[in-house]
Amino acid sequence: MSASRPLLFLDVDGTLIPFGTPPAAPPEMPRDHTDVQIQADDAHPLLHRVKPEHGRLLSALPCELVWATTWMSDANDVLAPRLGLPALPVVDWADSDEDDALHWKTRGLVQWAQGRPFVWVDDEISPVDLVWVAAHHPGPALLHRVDPRQGLTERDFTAIRDWLVEQV
């Protein structure tokens, strides 16, 4: 891990795998059926929504990529190859009894960053997380909320890249 580059904590569901809306079924199909083909080896029913070009865009960012997802090491086994990424570090989540408005990942990411500049890309970031990170993280941080219906977009990559360039 290089202490000179900012970190980018990357969520998966809603970020790399957009939830979107299911495609409309052709008129000849029953109303409860969609035209999405799920392959038997795909454990996640929306895995086909991963955009392989996101791997190239992520690799081009001036930062160290880190999985920050409930997928844990499965992200390296399933997603990294689809994205053309090497195995990435994975945030290991501590059990938490905290029951407040703060996202359950927030404390762990600040602890993992150890004062380094970081970007957190997730679809569940709230204003409570922004305030908490500003008060508890001594370095710069960008908490970038992604629309879970669309996942990462060109606009998101531009905002993240612009912030990272200011940090290096």
Side-chain angles (χ1 to χ4, degrees):
M1 180 163 54
S2 168
S4 63
R5 291 171 48 124
L7 300 165
L8 189 147
F9 293 118
L10 187 60
D11 179 47
V12 171
D13 293 311
T15 303
L16 288 173
I17 301 177
F19 297 128
T21 55
E28 66 276 4
M29 289 192 172
R31 290 184 144 253
D32 62 339
H33 180 79
T34 63
D35 197 23
V36 176
Q37 297 296 319
I38 300 172
Q39 295 182 356
D41 63 339
D42 289 347
H44 191 290
L46 301 179
L47 202 52
H48 66 280
R49 294 185 179 179
V50 172
K51 296 177 182 170
E53 66 270 16
H54 282 173
R56 180 183 52 77
L57 295 170
L58 288 164
S59 293
L61 294 171
C63 63
E64 179 181 336
L65 301 172
V66 179
W67 293 120
T69 174
T70 56
W71 283 63
M72 304 292 294
S73 62
D74 288 344
N76 279 324
D77 298 336
V78 177
L79 294 166
R82 287 176 181 264
L83 294 166
L85 294 173
L88 304 176
V90 178
V91 176
D92 188 18
W93 307 108
D95 291 334
S96 174
D97 294 335
E98 303 292 334
D99 187 25
D100 54 22
L102 190 65
H103 193 284
W104 61 269
K105 292 180 183 178
T106 308
R107 286 181 182 88
L109 295 179
V110 168
Q111 182 179 9
W112 212 90
Q114 298 180 350
R116 286 174 64 183
F118 73 85
V119 177
W120 174 20
V121 180
D122 205 306
D123 63 309
E124 296 181 345
I125 297 168
S126 76
V128 173
D129 301 303
L130 295 168
V131 170
W132 196 91
V133 169
H136 294 88
H137 181 65
L142 171 65
L143 279 62
H144 186 82
R145 188 176 188 283
V146 172
D147 181 341
R149 296 166 299 179
Q150 297 178 28
L152 279 167
T153 65
E154 184 177 325
R155 186 174 179 182
D156 295 312
F157 277 105
T158 299
I160 294 164
R161 185 180 313 102
D162 289 350
W163 188 88
L164 286 166
V165 166
E166 290 178 15
Q167 306 311 308
V168 288

